[in-house]
Amino acid sequence: MRVPPTGDSPAPPARSGPSRRTLLAAAAAAAAAVPVTGAAVSQATAAPRRSAARPLADPDLGPNVIFFDPSSPDIQGRLDQIFRQQESAQFGTGRYALLFKPGTYNGLNAQLGFYTSIIGLGLSPDDTHINGDVTVDAGWFQGNATQNFWRSAENLSLSPVNGTNRFAVSQAAPFRRMHVRGNLNLAPDGYGWASGGYIADSRIDGTVQPYSQQQWYTRDSSIGGWLNAVWNMVFSGVEGAPAQSFPDPPYTTLDTTPISREKPFLYVDGDGYRVFLPALRRNARGTTWGGGSPQGQSLPLSDFHIVKQGATAASINAALREGKHLLLTPGIYHVDAPIAIDRANTVVLGIGYPTIIPDGGVRAMTVADVDGVRLAGFLLDAGPQNSDVLLQVGPDGSAADHANNPTTLQDVFIRIGGAGPGKATTSMVINSRHVVVDHTWVWRADHGDGVGWETNRCDYGVVVNGDDVLATGLFVEHFNKYDVQWNGERGRTIFFQNEKAYDAPNQAAIQNGSLRGYAAYKVADDVGQHEGWGMGSYCYYNVAPSIVQEHGFATPTGSGIKFHHIMVVSLGGQGQYAHVINDHGAPTSGTSTIPSKVVSYP
């Protein structure tokens, strides 16, 4: 389905083994919260305190949450067993969270397959150290990493065996709160195609080596260096990032991230388990943990309702009404009513890619127009009966000011089809103000089961009606009409990756009034202020290659509208763009797969 583009990629390092492929890029906080700062953090970070008379008791998080400590027998064997099961199970039902308690682990290679999360349980990544690797490769797909989705590595430090850790992923595969004491290679063995990806709150002591990666977004991290760029590499708040140089090489570099708040995480604290809620940062740069004193709040696990296989919407909503937060464990959950988040500062944290499927055309989840909700680490999968919306953040007409305590969405992924027939009108609607969307992949499937122009129809990917919304790491693909429709004022996006729907049957099917096709990213005509950095849209109309897409981006003009470093590309000449943004930017042409770029607009 995919074709090789041209790009600026260095020759890979010399190595032995199978002959190298041609270098390619991808072408296709509650009232009961306890503040944790300063000395309190220092005590917790130094070493988890455990009474010798009372060993740490692991909570019952279900059969697919596997706890390890340095004395666990045959850790490698258990890791290999799970990987064999999950390596190629792209649309399977298995879900796993691999939880490593603080300590040092020697000689491990944790290979990550689909729906697998490896997570350290320290307050700092350095509390849990692996002398070894956390590996993602693409042997299951003949060296093509463009479908290495739905897996994650979080809150660990690594000393790679050969000095370089390989993490060859594409969408929905975050690398968060990691410390690599060496290099990080983002390409598969053989340097085949790859279409990632996302790093946040991490430190890479050596060099990040993208090689064939088409695009990547790195936020609030520290790196020793960055090797190359193909189409679109974006950095915000990254110490050691390359200087801004778009379009050649295509680096977009912001010194800081305007607003960020890291993902909540589970950790060991003395004799028990708690969930840490990192504090909001403004104009952030570098990691939250490098200074030794992460700022935030800590909640006991007893404040959470543990959602395990067999849970229903009724049982989940009853726990929410009682004031509980939610810890979603690995599993697939069918709901016959929306999971309703109505209380300020509610935390919904998933581990191991828990998947929520709405039945009967209901919405999967709704959030009230309240302060400080944190949604993190789960997948919403459309059901066979059409839902008008899968995730709604704030009811229609939401207008409350949440500037000091925004709702955050982190590693919240949405899928329409692929695992079977699924339909929705709109995947995600954001009505509340000041929401921060930090890494999402909203995907109408282009392959798998239940896929077709009408079979898994979904007109809109993300619709933003609220003002002052910020997106950092926005991946939205293949929707029948607008992939992103932004109606709110003062919206901002740092990094956007998009592919238009492959399967449009003809030009008429995508006609938008007098325009040829719906833009990937549409800012409403009455919006006065909007800004975006490092944004790309690609077309691959393989069913009807004669389709012409008017533009990738559509926006009003005016002093408050600003776009920086945007591009469109036709993948192998399967369809073409006439312009990049509005009527500005050169058309794509032929089969060369060379991007058409605009440095700034207007």
Side-chain angles (χ1 to χ4, degrees):
M1 294 178 64
R2 311 247 180 184
V3 295
T6 60
D8 176 21
S9 300
R15 65 182 190 90
S16 60
S19 61
R20 179 177 68 84
R21 301 176 193 273
T22 303
L23 192 60
L24 302 171
V34 179
V36 178
T37 58
V41 171
S42 298
Q43 291 177 353
T45 328
R49 299 182 305 280
R50 189 188 312 173
S51 168
R54 199 177 95 189
L56 178 65
D58 298 329
D60 180 5
L61 301 182
N64 293 335
V65 176
I66 317 298
F67 289 92
F68 298 100
D69 65 48
S71 67
S72 297
D74 194 18
I75 298 174
Q76 187 66 57
R78 188 72 171 110
L79 295 175
D80 291 346
Q81 177 190 24
I82 293 169
F83 176 67
R84 284 193 298 270
Q85 176 182 319
Q86 299 300 116
E87 180 184 11
S88 59
Q90 181 172 181
F91 298 111
T93 58
R95 305 285 188 274
Y96 288 92
L98 312 176
L99 304 187
F100 282 73
K101 299 174 188 178
T104 298
Y105 300 78
N106 294 314
L108 295 183
N109 181 17
Q111 299 183 80
L112 301 184
F114 286 98
Y115 312 109
T116 304
S117 297
I118 185 168
I119 301 170
L121 291 174
L123 191 59
S124 164
D126 289 327
D127 292 344
T128 309
H129 184 68
I130 295 177
N131 286 312
D133 298 79
V134 171
T135 300
V136 179
D137 208 342
W140 74 277
F141 202 43
Q142 295 76 56
N144 179 348
T146 60
Q147 293 182 24
N148 277 356
F149 312 140
W150 304 308
R151 63 200 77 196
S152 66
E154 305 178 53
N155 202 30
L156 294 163
S157 64
L158 309 173
S159 292
V161 168
N162 68 357
T164 299
N165 189 79
R166 184 184 304 278
F167 198 76
V169 299
S170 289
Q171 290 81 9
F175 197 80
R176 283 188 182 270
R177 201 176 172 79
M178 294 288 288
H179 182 189
V180 179
R181 302 178 188 183
N183 303 316
L184 182 64
N185 185 337
L186 304 179
D189 185 38
Y191 305 94
W193 303 353
S195 182
Y198 176 91
I199 293 171
D201 200 25
S202 294
R203 177 178 171 181
I204 299 20
D205 291 347
T207 300
V208 181
Q209 304 165 347
Y211 293 116
S212 55
Q213 278 289 353
Q214 170 189 308
Q215 76 274 314
W216 200 277
Y217 175 51
T218 307
R219 178 183 62 72
D220 297 357
S221 294
S222 176
I223 61 176
W226 191 274
L227 182 64
N228 72 293
V230 176
W231 285 348
N232 188 31
M233 299 294 176
V234 180
F235 310 83
S236 68
V238 177
E239 297 168 343
Q244 184 159 292
S245 56
F246 190 96
D248 185 22
Y251 294 136
T252 297
T253 302
L254 286 70
D255 285 344
T256 61
T257 304
I259 302 169
S260 60
R261 184 166 63 191
E262 299 303 331
K263 181 180 176 181
F265 61 91
L266 186 67
Y267 75 105
V268 172
D269 181 34
D271 293 328
Y273 287 80
R274 301 180 70 88
V275 174
F276 193 79
L277 310 180
L280 187 72
R281 298 204 292 171
R282 299 187 187 277
N283 299 317
R285 182 171 174 84
T287 69
T288 62
W289 50 270
S293 297
Q295 302 295 302
Q297 297 173 309
S298 180
L299 299 175
L301 193 57
S302 59
D303 285 359
F304 286 75
H305 174 65
I306 309 301
V307 181
K308 293 187 284 188
Q309 196 68 48
T312 64
S315 65
I316 294 169
N317 284 329
L320 288 167
R321 287 192 297 270
E322 292 171 1
K324 291 286 191 177
H325 306 284
L326 300 179
L327 179 65
L328 306 174
T329 67
I332 297 176
Y333 303 93
H334 285 264
V335 296
D336 59 4
I339 297 173
I341 315 298
D342 295 330
R343 179 174 51 89
N345 301 310
T346 298
V347 179
V348 180
L349 174 62
I351 57 173
Y353 286 83
T355 302
I356 299 168
I357 303 175
D359 293 333
V362 302
R363 297 176 178 182
M365 185 176 291
T366 61
V367 180
D369 191 25
V370 295
D371 271 359
V373 172
R374 305 185 195 220
L375 307 179
F378 54 87
L379 172 64
L380 303 180
D381 204 351
Q385 187 169 336
N386 189 78
S387 298
D388 65 335
V389 174
L390 292 175
L391 173 60
Q392 178 179 281
V393 181
D396 294 344
S398 295
D401 188 317
H402 306 296
N404 293 325
N405 189 11
T407 285
T408 50
L409 283 66
Q410 298 176 291
D411 304 342
V412 173
F413 308 122
I414 299 180
R415 179 172 67 194
I416 315 291
K423 289 188 176 183
T425 303
T426 304
S427 292
M428 180 191 300
V429 174
I430 299 174
N431 292 316
S432 290
R433 297 179 62 193
H434 302 105
V435 173
V436 177
V437 181
D438 177 44
H439 189 227
T440 188
W441 186 38
V442 182
W443 185 57
R444 176 181 166 264
D446 62 283
H447 62 273
D449 294 332
V451 171
W453 183 249
E454 296 295 343
T455 305
N456 65 326
R457 187 172 184 96
C458 188
D459 285 347
Y460 306 102
V462 176
V463 175
V464 181
N465 297 317
D467 295 339
D468 306 292
V469 171
L470 171 66
T472 54
L474 184 61
F475 300 73
V476 188
E477 296 188 308
H478 306 310
F479 288 87
N480 295 77
K481 293 186 177 178
Y482 291 124
D483 298 275
V484 174
Q485 183 174 353
W486 207 298
N487 303 318
E489 285 286 356
R490 296 176 298 280
R492 292 176 290 181
T493 294
I494 303 172
F495 183 89
F496 173 67
Q497 188 267 328
N498 165 263
E499 289 178 355
K500 294 301 298 175
Y502 292 173
D503 55 349
N506 49 53
Q507 186 78 49
I510 64 166
Q511 193 66 19
N512 180 15
S514 62
L515 292 174
R516 295 172 292 180
Y518 290 79
Y521 191 100
K522 166 67 175 175
V523 181
D525 293 343
D526 60 352
V527 168
Q529 295 184 58
H530 192 92
E531 193 160 10
W533 296 262
M535 308 174 74
S537 176
Y538 323 139
C539 74
Y540 186 68
Y541 288 117
N542 62 322
V543 174
S546 63
I547 287 176
V548 176
Q549 175 80 27
E550 191 70 31
H551 41 224
F553 302 86
T555 178
T557 57
S559 60
I561 304 293
K562 300 176 182 178
F563 281 82
H564 317 272
H565 307 172
I566 56 178
M567 53 159 282
V568 298
V569 63
S570 167
L571 306 180
Q574 305 294 295
Q576 300 290 344
Y577 289 92
H579 306 284
V580 178
I581 182 168
N582 294 348
D583 58 358
H584 193 72
T588 57
S589 60
T591 61
S592 60
T593 315
I594 295 175
S596 177
K597 301 175 182 179
V598 170
V599 175
S600 63
Y601 182 86

